[in-house]
Amino acid sequence: MRHNKAINHLGRKSGHRKALLSNMASALLLNKRINTTVAKAKALKMYVEPLITKSKEDTTHSRRIVFSYLKDKNAVAELFRTIAPRIADRPGGYCRVLHTGFRKGDAAEMALIELVDFNETAIAAPKKDSAKKSTRRGGAKKVAAEAPKQEEAPAQEAE
């Protein structure tokens, strides 16, 4: 049993798992979205969100801490230069995991993990009205019943 075991070991030794998460985090920060399995996406989300939070404070110390996790200076530069200013006012929840179906070869459940503030289609989408409409019971039945009567009335007058 794995009671109170917080991290998913992903079936790998610790060195392999750290290298996998480091490479995936670098790819996510550079490309803003990647396609992977659901288990890896959830593990990556837990790995990369504290690093993004750390990037809000642009100091040498925080850069060194983030670099010790990512081991890619291009990813660190991208994180501190472009990502950190856009997420400065967000209190958390920097990544989104979207389930995309199952992989053809082994039927593994796949997911798309992306940075929330860098999805242009979601940002450009018009926001819905928050006002609630009042509904009545059976309102749809009355609307459907009235529509044919209105169409029949003009047809009878024409004859």
Side-chain angles (χ1 to χ4, degrees):
M1 289 186 239
R2 14 179 350 261
H3 296 299
N4 294 328
K5 306 285 192 245
I7 67 166
N8 187 349
H9 295 288
L10 300 173
R12 290 163 170 81
K13 303 282 182 166
S14 64
H16 188 187
R17 185 174 55 253
K18 288 175 187 174
L20 170 82
L21 291 172
S22 173
N23 288 332
M24 287 178 64
S26 297
L28 177 66
L29 295 174
L30 292 173
N31 300 320
K32 310 302 187 271
R33 69 172 55 178
I34 57 172
N35 193 15
T36 183
T37 62
V38 172
K40 287 180 188 174
K42 288 179 180 178
L44 178 61
K45 186 175 180 181
M46 288 177 57
Y47 185 84
V48 79
E49 287 201 350
L51 300 179
I52 296 173
T53 302
K54 185 67 79 175
S55 74
K56 288 182 176 183
E57 183 182 354
D58 191 6
T59 61
T60 305
H61 181 62
S62 62
R63 280 183 179 260
R64 286 178 176 167
I65 289 173
V66 170
F67 182 76
S68 72
Y69 283 93
L70 294 179
K71 298 172 181 60
D72 182 5
K73 64 180 181 180
N74 295 327
V76 173
E78 179 76 14
L79 175 62
F80 280 89
R81 287 186 188 145
T82 62
I83 296 172
R86 287 186 71 172
I87 54 97
D89 57 338
R90 182 177 288 274
Y94 313 111
C95 299
R96 176 186 297 132
V97 177
L98 301 169
H99 296 252
T100 57
F102 297 94
R103 189 160 51 197
K104 188 173 183 180
D106 60 353
E109 193 173 359
M110 300 299 287
L112 178 79
I113 182 167
E114 64 183 3
L115 296 176
V116 173
D117 290 328
F118 289 88
N119 187 352
E120 285 78 19
T121 57
I123 293 171
K127 296 186 178 182
K128 295 182 180 179
D129 234 345
S130 62
K132 293 184 178 180
K133 296 181 180 178
S134 60
T135 58
R136 292 181 8 193
R137 277 188 175 212
K141 293 179 185 176
K142 288 185 178 183
V143 171
E146 290 176 7
K149 289 180 182 178
Q150 291 175 354
E151 291 175 9
E152 292 173 6
Q156 290 174 357
E157 292 175 6
E159 290 178 6

